[in-house]
Amino acid sequence: MKKSIDQVLKELGPCTSSEVIHHYAQLGMKETTSRQRISRASHVHRLKGLRLEKNASFLYLSEQYNTPQFWKNLEKSLYKSGKSYWASIISLKERGGYCLDSHFATVCGSPTKRIGQLPPSVILERLKGVKAVGEYIVDKHGETYIELNPFFLYNNDFDKARATLLSESIALNALRDYLKKIGFVSYNKCRIRGEEQPEIASIHWDLSAPSYIRPLVRFDNGKKKPAFVVSDVCLYAPISKDYVEAFIRKCNAAAIQYNNVTIMPFLVGDSFTEDAFNLAKSEGITAVTLEILWGSEIAKQLRNLVRILTDTGKLIIKNPKYVYKVMDTLSQIEGAAVRLRGALFETVIGGIVKDVEGGSLKLGQKLQDPETLQSTEVDVTLIKKDEILVIECKSTVSGAG
């Protein structure tokens, strides 16, 4: 007797209809018969919202929904039948499960305007629809964060992800400054994330710039056509092979749009796994670490910056020189001092208050009014046995009116 759909799904776990058909084929069942069996299994659930290749459906039983196996198998199935969704999930995982809503198009890597391809906005809405991602928090600056379903990572770390955004911003300033100083890119046309949106071939990047370096330039009817330097920066954790594959997919999509123009991609990470680095190298991606670009001291202080911003003041109280060293080293990077001042100021204040008053310290805590449901973010919250101390921090530029 042939296996029932229930038996197959219990054996394989949640999977696509194509995988069920393949399984039945190995048991000698004809494709038309297996398709009929699937269509008649009304009690088997089909994940609605994600359109997969060849009109496949993701199938699961009631008891399998929203389990770790469900999300793990969905990720595997999307790799085979829904690469745009897969790339988005992998890129979010590489960033600790979070990114700014305004940064999702860069993280996703799909073209924003291209016929026949899903734009990032549609991909995001569909991932929200199946609860693969959600909106996490709106901070006091009005930014919304996209959060990956925790079952993909098991341990989403918002504080570290948020602190890493600051270190990446500083790294991008340093990369732009470096490329401009060595004359590798057009001096006034280098764009970075958080300022003027870098976009090449309708794809968003962390950095983009035209380059007129002689080996890269092409000529069209006697006119110079520049190459384009593009880069993404990801410093949350060692860059994995999966993320490099997603980045290669992004670069290939850009190359298809600009088939007569050279695109030179850089992928900047704190470190790379060996197989990730080898894959990038084999595909012509320039994979570089912080140490290679700027030396060990700047790399070390960028890591220390994340540590300071995520340990609720413990490191500062134990050794205040850490703050001075981070500021002194990273302020050498153009534009870094302004970005550092506010974030470190709140951490220092929190650390001092906790050292004097005791209690439990929380930085950047989201609070919500239970009646109006309006939310706000508090810079420093100190929770003691009998009271709660709330502190709002304001840093100003010296000499400003």
Side-chain angles (χ1 to χ4, degrees), residues 68-328:
Q69 184 190 38
F70 176 90
W71 296 108
K72 181 180 180 181
N73 286 15
L74 177 61
E75 182 183 320
K76 290 180 180 179
S77 295
L78 292 178
Y79 177 77
K80 299 175 183 177
S81 305
K83 276 290 182 70
S84 58
Y85 305 118
W86 173 84
S88 301
I89 290 169
I90 289 299
S91 297
L92 278 169
K93 287 176 69 173
E94 208 76 2
R95 291 166 171 81
Y98 297 92
C99 78
L100 288 168
D101 178 69
S102 58
H103 186 208
F104 181 79
T106 303
V107 171
C108 168
S110 293
T112 57
K113 299 176 183 178
R114 195 176 296 179
I115 297 174
Q117 297 194 33
L118 294 177
S121 58
V122 172
I123 292 171
L124 178 58
E125 287 307 309
R126 291 183 179 179
L127 289 175
K128 285 181 181 178
V130 299
K131 302 188 186 308
V133 303
E135 292 183 358
Y136 176 67
I137 184 174
V138 178
D139 71 9
K140 64 182 180 180
H141 302 296
E143 286 283 13
T144 302
Y145 290 84
I146 302 303
E147 178 189 27
L148 187 63
N149 187 307
F151 274 131
F152 281 111
L153 277 174
Y154 308 112
N155 186 27
N156 293 10
D157 190 340
F158 177 68
D159 290 337
K160 182 180 177 182
R162 193 181 198 186
T164 302
L165 282 176
L166 178 59
S167 69
E168 288 174 353
S169 175
I170 293 170
L172 280 167
N173 273 273
L175 180 59
R176 175 173 61 181
D177 192 45
Y178 173 74
L179 292 173
K180 286 163 58 176
K181 284 181 176 178
I182 65 173
F184 202 83
V185 299
S186 295
Y187 198 86
N188 294 319
K189 295 183 179 180
C190 191
R191 301 175 178 178
I192 62 172
R193 178 219 306 174
E195 296 180 6
E196 192 173 3
Q197 178 60 55
E199 182 176 339
I200 298 296
S202 77
I203 295 174
H204 287 192
W205 309 84
D206 282 340
L207 177 148
S208 71
S211 175
Y212 288 88
I213 295 293
R214 177 173 288 187
L216 304 180
V217 171
R218 297 289 183 270
F219 287 86
D220 185 9
N221 294 325
K223 294 183 179 180
K224 282 186 179 181
K225 295 185 65 175
F228 289 94
V229 174
V230 295
S231 177
D232 281 350
V233 176
C234 186
L235 305 181
Y236 182 86
I239 287 181
S240 67
K241 182 181 178 181
D242 279 347
Y243 180 62
V244 170
E245 186 171 344
F247 184 71
I248 291 169
R249 180 179 181 276
K250 181 177 182 178
C251 294
N252 289 342
I256 290 172
Q257 178 77 0
Y258 279 171
N259 55 7
N260 291 321
V261 176
T262 301
I263 293 178
M264 186 169 185
F266 287 81
L267 184 56
V268 181
D270 184 57
S271 62
F272 291 77
T273 63
E274 184 177 356
D275 56 354
F277 182 81
N278 290 337
L279 176 60
K281 185 178 179 181
S282 69
E283 293 292 329
I285 305 294
T286 304
V288 291
T289 63
L290 300 176
E291 280 92 346
I292 291 174
L293 282 171
W294 305 298
S296 60
E297 187 58 32
I298 285 182
K300 177 182 176 182
Q301 298 312 325
L302 280 171
R303 296 188 196 105
N304 280 340
L305 172 63
V306 175
R307 287 182 60 199
I308 289 172
L309 295 177
T310 54
D311 73 351
T312 60
K314 295 175 184 177
L315 186 61
I316 291 175
I317 297 304
K318 184 178 179 180
N319 189 352
K321 290 183 180 179
Y322 265 105
V323 177
Y324 297 113
K325 187 64 176 175
V326 168
M327 281 293 295
D328 184 59

